[in-house]
Amino acid sequence: MSMALKQVFNKDRTFRPKRKFEPGTQRFDLHKKAQASLNAGLDLKQAVQLPHGEDLNDWVAVHVVDFFNRINLIYGTISDSCTDQTCPVMSGGPKYEYRWQDEHKYKRPTALSAPKYMSLLMDWIEVQINNENIFPTNVGTPFPKCFMQVAKKILSRLFRVFVHVYIHHFDRVTQMGAEAHVNTCYKHFYYFVTEFNLTDHKELEPLITSQIC
């Protein structure tokens, strides 16, 4: 890895602090298993498949947190060029505009600048993955019935970060020499969400016709 690329993915550039798995827990072991598959050069389509005997909810939870950390880092690398002035609307090209909605301040879909949208998104995801009632960490604690629905919503919104970065900031990614890393992360994400049908096809449309996958 070049010095420039090391600087790009330095932990200090992370947009948000990383959520980590506690050593000795089942979730930690699954995370290590997933990382080992990737590091071994296993085909990404195979790497995302549910390991024999493992619980789907645990596998999805591990990947949701991992993708949050990784996409968070990717956005952090280009955040200096994503401002209210350069990106006054959170979009993925002229055909796709993403509006923010939550249970608090923005109860109706609201047009926001990309950096404002990203900040609200990362805050919202942090709340979800740190909520023990949604993402239980204790062995034996069951996942709630709403877990998969929440996971799908998180992943769909995270995909929008990829769309914005690819369409509006990929020149910055290329300038940093980070396109291979970002492409691999995108492929991993794409294969995972399609393997388990975790994102609606319409959400994938902005990048689905690209040559990335």
Side-chain angles (χ1 to χ4, degrees):
M1 182 182 288
S2 68
M3 182 60 68
L5 196 54
K6 286 183 179 179
Q7 292 175 348
V8 167
F9 292 106
N10 185 285
K11 63 181 180 180
D12 294 333
R13 295 296 299 274
T14 305
F15 190 59
R16 287 286 192 280
K18 281 190 174 184
R19 165 73 192 270
K20 296 182 179 180
F21 302 103
E22 291 295 326
T25 63
Q26 182 182 18
R27 209 72 56 75
F28 180 83
D29 292 340
L30 275 177
H31 172 68
K32 288 300 181 184
K33 185 179 292 186
Q35 292 303 308
S37 295
L38 294 175
N39 294 336
L42 192 66
D43 180 86
L44 287 171
K45 288 184 179 179
Q46 292 181 313
V48 300
Q49 293 174 5
L50 180 66
H52 179 71
E54 298 295 351
D55 179 72
L56 177 60
N57 285 334
D58 276 316
W59 190 238
V60 170
V62 164
H63 282 80
V64 167
V65 174
D66 186 48
F67 286 133
F68 168 66
N69 287 337
R70 295 168 68 187
I71 294 170
N72 174 15
L73 177 57
I74 288 171
Y75 182 70
T77 67
I78 60 89
S79 59
D80 57 347
S81 61
C82 183
T83 67
D84 291 338
Q85 290 70 42
T86 62
C87 304
V89 176
M90 174 57 181
S91 63
K95 290 179 62 178
Y96 300 94
E97 178 183 335
Y98 302 118
R99 299 191 172 194
W100 182 256
Q101 184 176 14
D102 55 34
E103 301 81 16
H104 305 291
K105 183 177 180 180
Y106 300 96
K107 295 186 178 181
R108 294 182 179 180
T110 305
L112 298 171
S113 68
K116 178 64 173 176
Y117 184 101
M118 298 293 187
S119 180
L120 289 169
L121 172 60
M122 299 306 176
D123 283 345
W124 176 78
I125 294 176
E126 277 194 307
V127 170
Q128 308 310 309
I129 65 178
N130 287 305
N131 185 339
E132 285 285 334
N133 293 323
I134 302 174
F135 281 74
T137 56
N138 294 325
V139 176
T141 302
F143 283 86
K145 292 181 179 180
C146 69
F147 169 73
M148 205 59 74
Q149 180 182 353
V150 173
K152 287 181 178 181
K153 190 170 184 178
I154 291 173
L155 292 168
S156 293
R157 287 180 164 183
L158 281 175
F159 186 78
R160 297 173 183 181
V161 182
F162 274 124
V163 174
H164 186 74
V165 169
Y166 267 107
I167 294 177
H168 296 281
H169 300 289
F170 203 70
D171 55 341
R172 178 67 172 148
V173 173
T174 302
Q175 182 183 29
M176 294 177 172
E179 62 269 28
H181 178 94
V182 176
N183 285 343
T184 298
C185 185
Y186 169 71
K187 287 180 182 179
H188 186 196
F189 182 97
Y190 176 83
Y191 289 141
F192 185 80
V193 297
T194 54
E195 171 74 15
F196 300 107
N197 194 28
L198 294 170
T199 301
D200 290 339
H201 184 79
K202 65 179 182 179
E203 284 285 350
L204 303 176
E205 285 179 357
L207 297 181
I208 200 117
T209 57
S210 73
Q211 299 300 311
I212 300 168
C213 288

